[in-house]
Amino acid sequence: MSSSAVVSLEQTAAHLASIVGEEHTHLSGQTISAYPANASEIAEVLRFADSAGLAVTPTGGGTKLGWGNSVAAPILLGLGRMAALREHSWHDMTCTVEAGCAWNVMQAQLALHGQMVAVDPLWPDRATAGGIVSTNDGGALRLRYGSLRDLILGMTVVLAEGSITKSGGKVVKNCAGYDLPKLMTGGFGTLAVIASVNFRLHPLEKHARAWTATAPDPAELRAPLHALLDSQMIPCSAQLRMGPQECALDVRVAAVPECLREHEVRLQQIFAPVALAEPDPSVWRARESLFAQPGALVLKVTLLPADLCSIAAELRQQAAKDQIELAIVAQAFGLMTVALTAPPDAAFLFVERLRARLRPSGGSVVALQVPDSLRGRLEVWDCQSNALPLMREIKRRFDPNRILNPGRFVGGI
Amino acid sequence: MLTPSQIDEFRAAVDPDGIITLKSQLQTYECDGLTNLRALPGIVVLPRSAREVQAVVRICARHKIPFVSRGSGTGLSGGALPAEGGVLIALTRMNRILQVDIPNRFAVVEPGVFNSQVSQRVASSGYFYAPDPSSQPVCTIGGNVAENAGGAHCLKYGFTATHTLGLEVVLPNGELVSFGSPAPDASGYDLTGVFIGSEGTLGVVTKITLRIVKRPEAVQTLLAAFDSPQAAGQTVSEIIAAGMLPSALEIMDTLAIEAAEAAVHAHYPRCGGLLLVELDGPASEVAALMPEVRAICLANGAGEIRLAQSDEERALVWKGRKAAFAAVGRISPSYIVQDGVIPRTALHEVLAEIGRMAAEAGLRVANVFHAGDGNLHPLVLYDRAIAGQEETALDLSYRILRLCVDRGGSITGEHGVGKEKQEALGYMFAEPDLDAMQRVRCAFDPEKIANPGKIFPRLHLCAEQAGPPTAHPLETPISAEAPS
Ligand SMILES: Cc1cc2nc3c(=O)[nH]c(=O)nc-3n(C[C@H](O)[C@H](O)[C@H](O)COP(=O)(O)OP(=O)(O)OC[C@H]3O[C@@H](n4cnc5c(N)ncnc54)[C@H](O)[C@@H]3O)c2cc1C
């Protein structure tokens, strides 16, 4: 840290106002929110924060600020003014969007040319491109289109000491230099501030249908789900929903109209004797309802795809035994969102058990939304990697003064 | 130069037959597929296990000896070019498929396994490994990971990065670490992602967890003959605009067709621009879409349109396409393969410009490319025996790369930067961009002993204190009176 003098909150606010403008700087409590208009202003803010040793939390819609370890940063860097879809090369099926653009705003503009970024994140009305990328959030569409990391072509990011850098590119294929966007995706804003992202686009699904199979026990859905994934059908999404009473498997397929009928017949065969019904489209936003339960501990559980139904069944039994209220929305590629409402001790034990259960096969349990009763007690992250020292070294090389979201990420990064 | 005692240390680190020191044998390793660059390594080691790789790398780290990893040496950018007098680690003996898990759709392999072997191994279960570089029968998965190899079917299926779930790596300090896992989204930074495509500069891969994919029910391959590659290119754009995602869209121009015919007699129609379209997926879907493709071809003036009628015919079509690089050897004594990428919409203009530049240089350029993703492979034909022609050809090939960058593209889609395109990387990225990449390099390899002198245009030392930030060109508004 080059500055030895301690800067007061007021001085900081005044300095930030001189960069982004008075009207785009707000002081509330111990936090100053500053809203830069472009990458150069982000750079100036970071340069100042870096030299003054002030921590910065970048934020978009603020929907996931609670994820990861809590950080008390004096500067909240709001990307809300950087919200434009800067470029949509529809013939090339690529786009460049500023980090603060709300997902649905972006999608609506891309839809004008029949295209989309094939990711269905949480709270798309408010969540922004930058925040979604930083937290690597995505929903059921990943089964068909891959995850965010497969759809990001390039980025412009601002490093802690204020240099603006580009990596990747705008073309769909590119292996020139290191793939830094991979580090930023899911990096929780600890390495750099994302200014804009270049995405690869897909055509909107013109003809799609969905079906739901319900069963009392998730174990009963195991064989059909396996058969589905091993079949020639390529569903866009396959999702298991489980509440205390019932569980359901939702399948969505997009195809040319001629084929949808055939897919339906195949599905009926796979699921027989369970009958198929048409689900309400809201099932694809079922993940959101888990976060809405007051006081619930919400977990992101990753596991081997073939274990999905059996682990869900195990968890349900365990929950019943321990009087835990449990709801699960799980994606067929091996990702579960789990909400549990339980006394702190029971919830704590549940998580520890599940971690131990999944560890040998490479799975993990990350606590996304932690009720106050467990804050500080429950380890949020679940990183067993022997590469943690290397991750710390990467952080040190990018942010030696630890101003970007210090402590939020795995291992206190 | 390695000292005798250092050589003894290496000897003790691997099997008795796992070390090569004789000059005549070392020569086998002096270049990769970019044969005009050569350097003799001090020794070659052939480890059989990650433990042996670790032992070798530890010795390198202790004495700050540069090392270069090598798979099959089919790389086209000089990535596996040895460090003169340094250590070459050949991974070809680590060639076991360690695990296949069909229900979870992954396979764990050692780096020396050949690309095609993975598909062969899982074929009986109805699966395959999707990335398919034309060199797939001989290139290694380790090399694929290092280059983020692609292939004709990447348009639909993605690249090596899309299909790699996890890695085991010996870091340049000799530590063994694991990145990623067969379960999705391992906690922490995506080190698997950043390692892929790092061209051997961040460590040695010793184990790879790969995603495998269900083999499609139906595959149909169509050949359409056009007057020019531009007309074929327009067809490609329209197929994609119609919302289709074929598994492959490849174009060859007259010279490339001529070469492929001479080499493998693929029975291609003779024309100015040959388009190859492959659709795969559920049979009913392929059957429904192929007529649409055909109609688009006709609307764009396709002459002959031919659907491969059997697996044998389809195999022959692909044999011709995949042999195209080597085949060019039939029509020219020497050639340079380039790998630029452009936005698909710039195809027309860029091909015309390449033609113009070639004529100006007095050389021929054959074009065979992955049209769906705009990945050009201009083959600059020349004769090494003619004084000065190699320089002209190299200059032309680099100017083509700059053209790709100027049109919003990239200098490499799948072959990597290596030793060949370092200057071009400096053209594509500004200093702050390269500096950000160097931070990753410094975190992995502060002594810069892993494949030194590759990728980056300039030497960079891993200083502990970062210097003052330099302004990025993006920050400097383009002035109206830019100096000419
Ligand atoms: C005829 C022909 C056609 C080709 N077609 C294609 C194509 O369609 N698509 C495509 O993408 N490429 C293609 N290539 C290029 C080449 O085959 C690929 O780059 C391939 O991935 C290289 O594999 P390799 O085993 O030969 O690696 P090498 O050439 O031995 O090495 C390549 C790079 O990988 C590094 N490396 C190798 N093994 C390891 C390891 N275990 N750990 C760390 N680093 C390692 C090396 O240091 C080097 O930088 C083609 C090449 C030829 C000759």
Side-chain angles (χ1 to χ4, degrees):
Chain A
M1 273 166 255
S2 50
S3 137
S4 49
V6 181
V7 204
S8 76
L9 210 57
E10 287 71 23
Q11 282 170 319
T12 303
H15 193 94
L16 293 178
S18 75
I19 299 170
V20 302
E22 201 82 54
E23 65 280 32
H24 304 299
T25 314
H26 309 294
L27 178 61
S28 116
Q30 292 301 302
T31 312
I32 306 158
S33 307
Y35 298 85
N38 51 43
S40 305
E41 287 186 9
I42 299 179
E44 271 194 71
V45 170
L46 292 186
R47 232 170 260 152
F48 164 70
D50 197 41
S51 62
L54 296 169
V56 176
T57 289
T59 177
T63 55
K64 297 178 284 287
L65 275 178
W67 292 15
N69 298 317
S70 13
V71 177
I75 302 176
L76 204 59
L77 188 71
L79 278 300
R81 286 172 73 209
M82 296 177 60
L85 177 66
R86 277 228 306 267
E87 204 176 298
H88 178 193
S89 311
W90 60 89
H91 286 118
D92 293 315
M93 303 190 72
T94 59
C95 78
T96 300
V97 66
E98 290 184 331
C101 187
W103 198 253
N104 274 352
V105 171
M106 173 189 76
Q107 296 285 45
Q109 293 182 59
L110 298 174
L112 296 177
H113 290 279
Q115 298 178 357
M116 62 171 176
V117 179
V119 176
D120 48 350
L122 289 164
W123 313 296
D125 289 328
R126 287 178 295 141
T128 61
I132 290 163
V133 169
S134 294
T135 53
N136 189 23
D137 183 40
L141 283 180
R142 177 165 166 184
L143 184 63
R144 170 146 181 187
Y145 297 100
S147 65
L148 269 169
R149 76 198 275 278
D150 303 313
L151 301 172
I152 292 174
L153 305 174
M155 276 186 198
T156 299
V157 304
V158 187
L159 303 188
E161 86 279 0
S163 58
I164 301 177
T165 75
K166 284 185 307 160
S167 54
K170 287 181 178 174
V171 279
V172 294
K173 194 172 182 185
N174 175 15
C175 66
Y178 297 152
D179 193 350
L180 297 185
K182 294 277 195 301
L183 281 182
M184 306 298 157
T185 306
F188 275 76
T190 56
L191 293 179
V193 175
I194 299 174
S196 64
V197 184
N198 309 334
F199 285 110
R200 169 187 184 168
L201 305 178
H202 281 86
L204 285 173
E205 294 160 348
K206 279 191 223 135
H207 311 281
R209 281 195 60 188
W211 298 270
T212 294
T214 39
D217 188 332
E220 285 174 39
L221 295 169
R222 188 176 185 276
L225 177 59
H226 182 248
L228 169 68
L229 297 178
D230 192 48
S231 79
Q232 288 296 337
M233 299 178 64
I234 308 140
C236 305
S237 310
Q239 160 183 282
L240 179 78
R241 283 177 291 127
M242 192 183 83
Q245 253 72 58
E246 215 178 40
C247 68
L249 190 73
D250 311 312
V251 180
R252 201 163 146 279
V253 181
V256 289
E258 296 91 311
C259 308
L260 280 173
R261 176 67 205 140
E262 183 188 301
H263 285 317
E264 181 169 36
V265 173
R266 287 192 194 191
L267 270 176
Q268 280 162 343
Q269 286 164 353
I270 286 174
F271 281 92
V274 178
L276 299 176
E278 194 176 325
D280 188 272
S282 65
V283 298
W284 302 112
R285 295 185 69 169
R287 232 166 26 116
E288 290 177 9
S289 63
L290 301 184
F291 291 86
Q293 297 177 17
L297 168 66
V298 183
L299 309 170
K300 172 175 175 173
V301 178
T302 72
L303 69 173
L304 291 179
D307 294 345
L308 201 77
C309 291
S310 46
I311 297 271
E314 272 178 40
L315 292 183
R316 174 194 259 185
Q317 274 175 10
Q318 185 70 46
K321 217 169 76 203
D322 297 349
Q323 302 191 332
I324 291 175
E325 222 178 281
L326 180 79
I328 293 179
V329 177
Q331 312 305 338
F333 47 83
L335 216 157
M336 278 182 176
T337 310
V338 178
L340 47 132
T341 315
D345 286 344
F348 183 85
L349 212 64
F350 183 95
V351 173
E352 290 304 302
R353 259 197 223 125
L354 185 55
R355 283 181 172 158
R357 168 82 172 82
L358 297 178
R359 204 160 287 157
S361 56
S364 64
V365 180
V366 174
L368 296 179
Q369 180 173 292
V370 184
D372 290 341
S373 55
L374 282 170
R375 270 271 165 211
R377 178 173 172 205
L378 182 72
E379 171 60 59
V380 167
W381 296 101
D382 183 12
C383 183
Q384 301 301 314
S385 173
N386 54 10
L388 198 52
L390 180 59
M391 294 183 200
R392 290 204 175 96
E393 182 60 12
I394 291 173
K395 165 74 173 176
R396 193 176 72 85
R397 295 278 175 182
F398 276 85
D399 180 16
N401 296 329
R402 293 180 55 77
I403 62 155
L404 292 171
N405 262 338
R408 167 153 285 163
F409 203 42
V410 294
I413 286 175
Chain B
M1 262 319 242
L2 299 173
T3 64
S5 82
Q6 286 170 344
I7 293 177
D8 285 344
E9 282 187 59
F10 287 114
R11 209 180 287 284
V14 289
D15 261 7
D17 67 341
I19 183 162
I20 296 173
T21 52
L22 271 182
K23 186 170 177 206
S24 57
Q25 291 175 340
L26 292 174
Q27 272 162 350
T28 315
Y29 297 90
E30 69 183 354
C31 70
D32 64 3
L34 186 73
T35 51
N36 58 336
L37 297 180
R38 288 166 197 266
L40 208 60
I43 56 165
V44 174
V45 290
L46 297 132
R48 287 192 189 278
S49 65
R51 193 181 282 272
E52 288 189 3
V53 174
Q54 264 187 294
V56 168
V57 173
R58 282 211 182 100
I59 300 167
C60 293
R62 196 158 52 236
H63 302 292
K64 299 195 173 49
I65 299 167
F67 67 85
V68 177
S69 308
R70 178 184 167 109
S72 296
T74 66
L76 293 170
S77 55
L81 178 75
E84 186 84 49
V87 173
L88 188 86
I89 306 176
L91 282 309
T92 40
R93 287 186 177 176
M94 291 178 64
N95 59 0
R96 292 174 303 163
I97 295 179
L98 300 171
Q99 186 190 355
V100 171
D101 185 332
I102 296 293
N104 288 301
R105 297 178 289 283
F106 72 85
V108 182
V109 307
E110 290 186 326
V113 167
F114 294 145
N115 174 299
S116 327
Q117 288 174 328
V118 183
S119 286
Q120 280 157 15
R121 176 63 178 273
V122 297
S124 60
S125 314
Y127 283 77
F128 74 115
Y129 174 63
D132 61 335
S134 300
S135 49
Q136 69 187 142
V138 292
C139 66
T140 66
I141 295 293
N144 290 174
V145 165
E147 301 288 8
N148 192 12
H153 291 83
C154 286
L155 176 62
K156 174 168 178 176
Y157 289 99
F159 322 104
T160 303
T162 323
H163 295 274
T164 304
L165 298 168
L167 298 173
E168 178 190 87
V169 170
V170 173
L171 295 177
N173 64 6
E175 250 174 71
L176 187 72
V177 289
S178 301
F179 309 151
S181 87
D185 294 358
S187 293
Y189 297 129
D190 179 9
L191 299 181
T192 308
V194 83
F195 192 94
I196 295 170
S198 63
E199 306 190 25
T201 60
L202 300 181
V204 187
V205 189
T206 51
K207 206 195 275 181
I208 304 107
T209 305
L210 298 171
R211 216 152 66 85
I212 51 171
V213 178
K214 187 76 185 175
R215 197 166 271 291
E217 183 177 38
V219 185
Q220 286 191 12
T221 311
L222 178 125
L223 286 177
F226 294 87
D227 288 342
S228 65
Q230 281 88 340
Q234 181 58 30
T235 310
V236 165
S237 288
E238 290 183 25
I239 290 172
I240 288 178
M244 284 184 259
L245 188 58
S247 54
L249 282 167
E250 300 283 310
I251 294 179
M252 297 168 82
D253 71 1
T254 313
L255 273 177
I257 298 167
E258 191 188 314
E261 278 302 308
V264 305
H265 309 292
H267 307 304
Y268 290 150
R270 298 291 170 114
C271 61
L274 181 66
L275 173 64
L276 188 163
V277 185
E278 188 158 284
L279 295 180
D280 71 9
S284 59
E285 194 164 314
V286 172
L289 292 176
M290 200 43 112
E292 230 184 294
V293 169
R294 202 183 263 273
I296 296 174
C297 290
L298 283 174
N300 280 287
E304 189 175 347
I305 296 183
R306 202 195 286 167
L307 194 67
Q309 293 302 327
S310 61
D311 285 349
E312 292 72 44
E313 268 188 51
R314 190 170 40 256
L316 189 61
V317 165
W318 277 113
K319 193 174 169 198
R321 166 59 190 88
K322 295 202 171 186
F325 293 173
V328 164
R330 301 283 183 124
I331 60 166
S332 173
S334 330
Y335 62 92
I336 296 166
V337 187
Q338 271 309 354
D339 185 36
V341 189
I342 50 168
R344 216 170 21 236
T345 42
L347 201 63
H348 196 285
E349 182 199 344
V350 169
L351 287 180
E353 183 63 15
I354 291 176
R356 206 188 53 73
M357 286 158 64
E360 207 177 81
L363 293 172
R364 293 183 301 167
V365 174
N367 285 296
V368 39
F369 52 96
H370 309 303
D373 38 37
N375 188 186
L376 305 180
H377 287 314
L379 293 142
V380 180
L381 313 186
Y382 70 99
D383 187 349
R384 196 169 276 160
I386 300 176
Q389 209 171 66
E390 183 154 80
E391 289 69 34
T392 313
L394 279 169
D395 177 63
L396 174 60
S397 80
Y398 292 134
R399 282 191 293 125
I400 292 174
L401 292 188
R402 290 201 288 272
L403 174 67
C404 293
V405 174
D406 292 344
R407 293 297 178 277
S410 166
I411 57 167
T412 174
E414 52 183 25
H415 295 169
V417 180
K419 194 72 194 166
E420 184 200 25
K421 296 190 268 289
Q422 292 172 290
E423 286 311 314
L425 192 77
Y427 186 77
M428 179 166 167
F429 289 111
E431 208 52 52
D433 310 332
L434 296 171
D435 170 75
M437 293 179 197
Q438 288 282 9
R439 292 170 196 237
V440 174
R441 176 73 192 273
C442 292
F444 276 81
D445 183 19
E447 301 293 348
K448 307 257 171 117
I449 57 170
N451 213 359
K454 306 281 173 74
I455 303 183
F456 296 100
R458 276 168 289 281
L459 191 70
H460 175 284
L461 294 175
C462 295
E464 274 311 307
Q465 284 297 308
T470 31
H472 192 279
L474 284 181
E475 269 184 291
T476 334
I478 298 158
S479 110
E481 320 105 309
S484 52

